[in-house]
Amino acid sequence: MKIASWNVNSFKMRAAHVKQFLEIHQVDILGLQELKAESIDTNAFSELGYHINFVGQKAYNGVALITRTPIEILSIKLNGDDHDTQARFIEAAINKTRIINIYLPNGNPLGTEKFDYKLNWMTRLIAHARKLREQRIPFVIMGDFNIIPDEGDCHNPKAWENDALFHISARQKFRELINLGLYDCFRTLHPTDRDAFTFWDYQAGAWPRNHGIRIDHILASPLMIDRLQECFIDRNPRGWDQPSDHTPIIAHFDT
DNA sequence: ATGACTCAATCGTTGAGA
């Protein structure tokens, strides 16, 4: 089973890139983030044999699961706050595995309700993951986590010190999630790789200078990490014409 | 330099992203 995650920064603007990506990699499941649309064309990739499930929102957020086979969507919202209307979560069951695709809040600037929302959202995600762990359900959480886990996951750690993506309290929350017994697929297979990024700012020549950050992740429960064959970041789409500022991460699991 | 790009909503400009 091949899984990929990609923040496309507008589905409409990037539909052709997504199609190209599906043709190249033939993944079984592709999680998209930042659709930036209330609704999208669910037949966009039907010629390639893919189905689309999504949760949308006008102008902001939005996540989708694109799959070769029809899947059962279990939830389109993260438990723990009935007043939260932001489209950032979609969960599906495939065989006996749970697939979760998230767009975790950015949280900038620090010291605002936006950062509180991020931390609270992470607390809710941890609670949900804990429940799945207790139930011994194998699962994968992929998506744009908006978290730089460690110093080696950005070009210049100093520059990110006071940013919501690298702030110590957000990174603590991320470790709390990992410490439930989850594994960062990329780091598990590439423990010492540096300059392995998934996002480069559009500005200031960040891409040609490789001034990026690693914020898109695929986390696996123990039963899933045992099946992990490979995990890599495909840098190519970031170099395509009019690209997203993120590039996809791909994980390949046995069976 | 609270900049630089890009996108959505909307047609000049603002908010958000990270």
Side-chain angles (χ1 to χ4, degrees):
Chain A
M1 179 170 63
K2 271 176 108 171
I3 293 177
S5 172
W6 191 7
N7 178 324
V8 288
N9 185 17
S10 166
F11 181 87
K12 198 174 178 180
M13 293 297 293
R14 235 64 68 189
H17 283 197
V18 174
K19 188 177 180 188
Q20 182 90 12
F21 178 81
L22 289 170
E23 284 172 343
I24 293 170
H25 290 280
Q26 302 284 316
V27 296
D28 297 293
I29 304 167
L30 172 60
L32 300 181
Q33 304 88 34
E34 275 211 90
L35 306 177
K36 287 188 169 180
E38 197 161 25
S39 185
I40 61 172
D41 174 17
T42 52
N43 290 315
F45 313 119
S46 52
E47 289 171 5
L48 300 178
Y50 284 96
H51 302 80
I52 302 182
N53 284 97
F54 75 99
V55 50
Q57 182 182 339
K58 193 174 181 179
Y60 307 113
N61 309 319
V63 289
L65 279 173
I66 299 174
T67 57
R68 276 186 188 286
T69 54
I71 48 167
E72 181 194 358
I73 300 298
L74 296 180
S75 176
I76 54 168
K77 56 186 285 188
L78 178 60
N79 291 331
D81 184 356
D82 292 339
H83 300 296
D84 186 358
T85 55
Q86 298 192 29
R88 296 180 175 278
F89 181 94
I90 187 166
E91 176 172 6
I94 296 170
N95 300 322
K96 293 188 172 172
T97 302
R98 213 59 79 83
I99 303 292
I100 297 170
N101 177 32
I102 65 166
Y103 176 43
L104 206 150
N106 175 303
N108 275 309
L110 294 177
T112 67
E113 69 285 347
K114 289 187 173 188
F115 192 61
D116 291 338
Y117 175 66
K118 177 177 194 163
L119 295 182
N120 288 331
W121 207 94
M122 295 183 80
T123 300
R124 291 159 57 198
L125 182 64
I126 290 163
H128 186 61
R130 181 178 290 118
K131 193 174 287 184
L132 294 177
R133 289 286 289 120
E134 286 167 358
Q135 295 173 348
R136 297 291 184 266
I137 296 170
F139 66 95
V140 165
I141 307 176
M142 70 171 126
D144 177 356
F145 282 72
N146 272 316
I147 295 281
I148 302 166
D150 216 338
E151 284 82 357
D153 296 315
C154 56
H155 170 259
N156 179 12
K158 263 284 189 233
W160 292 93
E161 226 167 37
N162 293 313
D163 192 284
L165 279 64
F166 193 56
H167 191 268
I168 192 64
S169 48
R171 290 165 59 202
Q172 276 174 341
K173 280 280 172 206
F174 185 74
R175 286 205 303 274
E176 198 179 328
L177 177 64
I178 293 288
N179 290 342
L180 293 172
L182 307 190
Y183 295 82
D184 176 338
C185 289
F186 183 81
R187 265 296 164 245
T188 299
L189 296 188
H190 309 286
T192 59
D193 273 22
R194 291 294 173 263
D195 301 326
F197 305 131
T198 63
F199 168 91
W200 299 260
D201 201 294
Y202 287 122
Q203 305 176 67
W207 165 245
R209 295 174 185 203
N210 197 26
H211 291 181
I213 51 180
R214 192 174 71 90
I215 57 174
D216 299 88
H217 309 298
I218 299 176
L219 306 186
S221 69
L223 287 170
M224 289 304 290
I225 201 75
D226 288 347
R227 294 164 49 189
L228 182 65
Q229 286 190 327
E230 62 171 330
C231 182
F232 64 97
I233 296 160
D234 177 13
R235 296 168 62 99
N236 292 324
R238 185 61 179 80
W240 292 347
D241 192 41
Q242 292 189 289
S244 168
D245 39 9
H246 295 249
T247 212
I249 175 170
I250 302 164
H252 190 180
F253 298 89
D254 275 328
T255 69

